[in-house]
Amino acid sequence: MNDKNFSPAAEPRKVHVACVIDGNGRWAQKRGLPRTEGHTAGEEALAEVVRAAAARNVGWLTVFGFSTENWVRPRPEVRHILSLHRKIFGRVDEMRRNNASIRWIGRPFKEKGARTPVYVQRAIDKAIADTAPNSGLVVTVAFDYGSRAELARAASRAAAAGPVDPTSIEKNLYDPTLPPVDVLVRTSGEKRISNFLLWQINGCKVYFTDRPWPDFDAAELDQALALLDGD
Ligand code: IPE
Ligand code: MG
C-alpha cells in the first residue's frame, strides 16, 4: 500500500430531514380512541425518531409540530397539543443523552399575530438554553409556524435593510442557520406539500408514506434516507 495516498474514510455527510407530521387523528380513530390519544402517540414517535436520527448521519431534524393554521381546531384538541409541546420541550435529559440540541421556529413571540402561549414560550426558552451545549443532532420544532408568514416577514425585513434578493431573504428567515432540507417526509398517505419550509425545501427529495405519524419509526427513517443514496 502506498502510505502517501492513504487517507481515513471521510465522515458521511450530515443531512437535514424535515417531517410533516400527519395522521395522528386517523391513527386514533382507527383504534376507536379520541384524537388526542393520537397526538400523544405522535409525541412518543417523535422521541423515537430523535433517537434514531441521532444514531444516523442526520445533522438536523425539523418537525412541523403546530402550524399557524392549526389554531382553528377544537379548543380541547389545541390544549392537548400545546401540553404535548411542553412535554417535547421538556425532554432535556433525553436530548442530552442523544447529544441533541433543541431549537424552535415560528412567529416570534413578541410580534403581531404570534400566538404561542406564555407557558409554551417558557418551555421553549428553557429547552433551547439547557440543550445548547449538546453538539450533535439539531432538533428544530416548528410551532405557531407558517412558511408564508416566515417569507413575508423575511422579505419585508430584507427590504428595510437594502436590496431584496435570495441572499437577503435567506438571512432573515426565522433560523438562517438551518441548512437546506435534504429529505422531506410526509406521513399518512397525503401526497402534498403544506405551508412548511417552502424556501428551505428547494431541490429536496420527498418521502411519502402511507403510515400515520405515530407508526413512523427508525425503519421508515432509513427508507427516507435511502432516497439520498448515490447523491
Ligand atoms: C398531525 O396529525 C398533527 C398536527 C397537525 C398537530 P393530524 O391531527 O393532522 O391527524 P389527521 O390528519 O387528522 O389524521
Ligand atoms: Mg392532518
Side-chain angles (χ1 to χ4, degrees):
M1 187 167 123
N2 183 343
D3 282 338
K4 272 196 286 208
N5 290 339
F6 177 78
S7 63
E11 285 270 310
R13 180 175 78 94
K14 292 280 185 190
V15 302
H16 183 183
V17 178
C19 301
V20 177
I21 290 174
D22 204 0
N24 289 353
R26 279 165 282 175
W27 180 93
Q29 271 152 4
K30 222 173 126 184
R31 287 163 178 75
L33 298 168
R35 290 177 58 82
T36 47
E37 289 298 312
H39 296 307
T40 301
E43 198 274 333
E44 279 155 23
L46 175 59
E48 187 188 333
V49 173
V50 168
R51 277 192 294 277
R56 287 162 174 74
N57 63 322
V58 179
W60 298 264
L61 177 72
T62 305
V63 296
F64 207 173
F66 195 77
S67 77
T68 49
E69 288 82 32
N70 287 150
W71 292 106
V72 301
R73 291 191 179 204
R75 217 38 228 165
E77 185 176 344
V78 170
R79 261 200 300 273
H80 186 80
I81 296 172
L82 296 190
S83 72
L84 283 173
H85 276 80
R86 177 158 54 182
K87 192 169 169 197
I88 294 171
F89 288 108
R91 287 183 183 259
V92 165
D93 290 340
E94 204 173 315
M95 289 289 166
R96 195 174 295 124
R97 282 196 294 278
N98 290 313
N99 193 24
S101 60
I102 304 191
R103 293 195 200 160
W104 160 80
I105 49 173
R107 291 186 289 195
F109 304 150
K110 303 231 151 38
E111 289 187 12
K112 199 166 153 268
R115 293 190 63 174
T116 303
V118 171
Y119 82 92
V120 180
Q121 293 180 21
R122 287 205 189 101
I124 290 171
D125 288 341
K126 185 168 183 336
I128 293 172
D130 290 353
T131 65
N134 306 340
S135 59
L137 176 69
V138 175
V139 179
T140 304
V141 178
F143 179 92
D144 192 30
Y145 174 87
S147 194
R148 288 183 158 199
E150 176 181 36
L151 290 173
R153 174 180 180 274
S156 68
R157 287 166 71 97
V164 179
D165 55 27
T167 311
S168 65
I169 288 185
E170 210 146 70
K171 268 199 249 160
N172 285 288
L173 296 173
Y174 291 143
D175 181 356
T177 70
L178 208 57
V181 173
D182 295 289
V183 195
L184 176 70
V185 168
R186 182 158 196 146
T187 55
S188 210
E190 302 288 350
K191 292 202 179 61
R192 55 196 165 83
I193 301 295
S194 49
N195 190 16
F196 189 47
L197 304 178
L198 295 176
W199 185 275
Q200 297 88 338
I201 63 173
N202 178 39
C204 78
K205 301 273 170 76
V206 186
Y207 179 73
F208 292 117
T209 172
D210 287 336
R211 281 205 189 184
W213 177 258
D215 292 336
F216 194 90
D217 57 12
E220 286 272 345
L221 178 64
D222 283 333
Q223 291 201 50
L225 292 172
L227 292 178
L228 299 170
D229 284 354
D231 276 11

